[in-house]
Structures are given as C-alpha cells and as structure tokens.
Amino acid sequence: MPELPEVETIRIGLERLLKNKKISKVDFNWPKSFPNDSKLVNKFLINATIKRIIRRGKAIIIELNTDYSLVIHLKMTGQLVYRSNGVKFGGGHPTDSLLGSLPDKSTRVTIEFSDSSFLFFNDQRKFGWIKLIPTDQVLNIPFFLRLGPEPLEPDFNEKLFTERLGRRSKTSIKAVLLDQSVIAGIGNIYADESLWESKIHPTRLVGGLSSTELSRLHKAIIKVMNLSLSNGGSTDRNYVDAEGNRGNYLKFANVFRREGSPCNRCGNTIIKIRVAGRGTHICPFCQI
DNA sequence: CACTTGACCTGTCCGC
DNA sequence: TGCGGACAGGTCAAGT
C-alpha cells in the first residue's frame, strides 16, 4: 500500500501523537505480524517511552528509551492508527474515514499507552510486520542493508540518480524504479506518475534513455513525491494516516487508476498495461 | 548474474 | 446468487 509519501505522512502524524508516550501493554493475534521474543518484549518494550520516529524507505522506525526500536513495514494494506481513549471514530470527516471503531477484524497488533490511548496496527492482508530490534542494529537488518538512497534528500542529485540506474541498463525503467535497492520509497503509483510526467514509456530499457530523459525523470520523481507529500499521500483503497484520514494526492494523479480517461496533456485515452508484473498506467501517445 | 514467477493473505470485482 | 479467476499501493525466495 503505502509508498514514501504515505509512510512519511504517517511518520509525521505519529511523531506528533506518540512522542514521550509510555507503552503499557501490547497484544497481537497473528504471530507473523509481531514476530518477537516475549522476554525481550517484556524487558524492552513494555514500560518503554517513545523518543522519536524516523523513516527509511517505506519503513517506520519508532525509537524507544530502552535502546530498542520498533521497526514497522506496512506492505500493501497496513495501517497505523492512533486513538485517544474513548474516541471511536477517526479524525476528519466521518465520510472520509475508512475506519469505524477499533480494534476491528483487521487489527493484528494493539499497543496501549499509560494514558489509556492506543495505537492499532491494522493489516487486512497480513503481509506487514512490527519487529523489536536493538536501535544500534536496526540499519543492519537485511531490509535496510539493501535499500538505495532517499529520493527526497538533498544529496539525491542527477549524478547519483544516473549512477544508481547505470547498473541495470538492460532492465525496463519501470522495474528499476520499483527496485528498492536502486532508489528507496518509489512504488507502483509514483513510478507510473513519474514516467508520465517525464514522457517516458515504462518498458523502455534504462540503457536506451537519453541524458535529457534521465534528467526529466529525476526531476519528475522529486516533483511527484513532494506534491503527494503536501497532499497527505494517496488513498486508493486502504491507506489512511495516523488519525485515520485519507490522502488527497489521487485528485492530482495523471495516470494512476485513470484508464479510460483522457490524458491531461494530450487528450488521448489513458490505458492500463502490464509491465514488470505490475498493473501500469500510461498515455500511449505522449509516453514514448 | 538479471529477470520472472510464485508465495505470503484477504477482499472485491467481473464474467459466466 | 454462486463460483472461479484476476487483481490490489510490497517484498522475498526460488526458478529459469
């Protein structure tokens, strides 16, 4: 589900809502969602206080005052929603909320705080996970070791972008954009949107892209991600922020889930094809 | 090695 | 209405 802008939106909300809260209790009903040793949980999670919350790629890291951290990956359908005691419905407009009272049948992990507020980890498809890891070892788990650079950091310049792509010259540009070891945080929505923005067809091989096209794509990735971030991310099906609210970016999307509609640039019809095993939305006229 | 496919899961939608 | 199949924002392992 969530890509970089959605995960960052959740992180910002959690930072505001959870900082300095003390964890009093943790429940889970699906072991793969919370694969942790109960002795370590009792020693380093229960009664721990939340220091800060950071993000790397599509993962969230909640740092505790016990020198342990909760590392969270939401995969396709994960949600992290905070509720203060007694508040049964999400913030924002009730009609905009995807969530009713919590916990519900998709709740996999419930974290209770000493002030009787809760953080619910909901995950319909059960692909996501929350792992308790010593803070100084977090970045050494395989997921982070493989991860490429952050596209919204200042050092992600055109030179670095080209260097990262260079290793994969015979692969389609869409597959490479989705590869987290090349660049961290891009998923299916922003791959499609960035390729439309830069007028590049997703099946083009990396080695065949001109420096002008690479330059356009580099700028497009940053533009699209920042636009989404400033709109609270994209809600297609499951995504909600830390208070249960949907994101607004899809109102600005030019191709994603717009098949059958006219291209905002040339008026031809957007189509959906399959590239790198993923549903892929393009304007076949202006993406060449 | 690079690339593709299947697996992990539940739910929804579409065609018959 | 029921049933089968395809598909969904992600990653990882195994296969070619």
Side-chain angles (χ1 to χ4, degrees):
Chain A
M1 120 195 207
E3 307 178 30
L4 188 157
E6 291 76 32
V7 178
E8 180 63 14
T9 301
I10 293 169
R11 185 201 68 76
I12 291 167
L14 293 178
E15 175 81 15
R16 179 167 50 79
L17 295 163
L18 299 187
K19 200 169 179 178
N20 298 322
K21 288 206 187 282
K22 185 178 173 184
I23 293 169
S24 57
K25 192 161 180 263
V26 177
D27 285 317
F28 59 97
N29 57 23
W30 186 258
K32 287 181 179 179
S33 300
F34 193 76
N36 299 298
D37 182 306
S38 64
K39 283 182 185 151
L40 293 179
V41 168
N42 286 329
K43 195 167 177 188
F44 298 109
L45 184 61
I46 306 302
N47 291 323
T49 298
I50 291 173
K51 278 168 59 178
R52 64 169 185 159
I53 298 164
I54 59 179
R55 178 193 57 75
R56 177 79 174 93
K58 299 172 190 169
I60 286 172
I61 303 164
I62 299 180
E63 289 185 1
L64 307 167
N65 69 340
T66 54
D67 292 330
Y68 271 69
S69 291
L70 288 175
V71 180
I72 304 172
H73 202 302
L74 302 170
K75 294 290 182 82
M76 301 279 264
T77 58
Q79 303 168 325
L80 282 172
V81 178
Y82 175 82
R83 293 284 168 88
S84 55
N85 189 29
V87 178
K88 289 287 190 190
F89 295 91
H93 276 288
T95 51
D96 278 349
S97 180
L98 289 171
L99 294 169
S101 69
L102 291 173
D104 66 19
K105 65 176 177 177
S106 293
T107 302
R108 311 299 172 204
V109 183
T110 301
I111 297 174
E112 184 172 357
F113 300 98
S114 59
D115 62 357
S116 298
S117 60
F118 294 87
L119 183 68
F120 296 100
F121 174 51
N122 269 32
D123 187 17
Q124 182 184 95
R125 290 174 72 180
K126 301 178 175 173
F127 293 166
W129 41 258
I130 299 179
K131 294 177 184 171
L132 183 65
I133 296 172
T135 297
D136 62 3
Q137 291 174 37
V138 163
L139 294 180
N140 291 323
I141 67 173
F143 176 82
F144 290 119
L145 286 177
R146 264 196 298 274
L147 221 47
E150 290 288 326
L152 294 187
E153 288 298 308
D155 65 343
F156 185 69
N157 53 33
E158 214 173 298
K159 180 168 173 288
L160 175 59
F161 176 60
T162 310
E163 279 172 14
R164 303 300 300 176
L165 296 184
R167 314 179 301 132
R168 307 286 302 279
S169 63
K170 288 194 228 171
T171 313
S172 74
I173 184 61
K174 166 117 182 192
V176 172
L177 290 178
L178 292 175
D179 185 337
Q180 303 298 294
S181 72
V182 177
I183 303 165
I186 302 174
N188 210 32
I189 298 176
Y190 304 107
D192 284 4
E193 291 299 318
S194 301
L195 289 167
W196 179 88
E197 181 74 28
S198 52
K199 305 184 190 176
I200 296 168
H201 197 285
T203 59
R204 292 275 301 283
L205 301 188
V206 169
L209 296 174
S210 69
S211 58
T212 307
E213 288 173 323
L214 290 172
S215 174
R216 285 207 307 262
L217 181 55
H218 169 256
K219 287 183 178 64
I221 290 167
I222 295 168
K223 176 182 170 180
V224 161
M225 296 274 219
N226 274 322
L227 178 61
S228 180
L229 193 49
S230 64
N231 282 280
S234 307
T235 298
D236 180 26
R237 292 182 165 77
N238 297 286
Y239 165 74
V240 291
D241 71 13
E243 295 176 283
N245 301 310
R246 306 168 67 101
N248 290 315
Y249 172 76
L250 285 189
K251 293 174 187 165
F252 302 92
N254 287 295
V255 282
F256 189 79
R257 287 180 75 80
R258 288 196 67 241
E259 59 270 32
S261 300
C263 173
N264 291 329
R265 192 162 46 207
C266 73
N268 283 278
T269 304
I270 303 297
I271 61 169
K272 186 173 178 182
I273 59 177
R274 206 145 189 91
V275 181
R278 310 294 300 276
T280 299
H281 311 75
I282 60 166
C283 169
F285 186 81
C286 60
Q287 284 176 262
I288 55 174

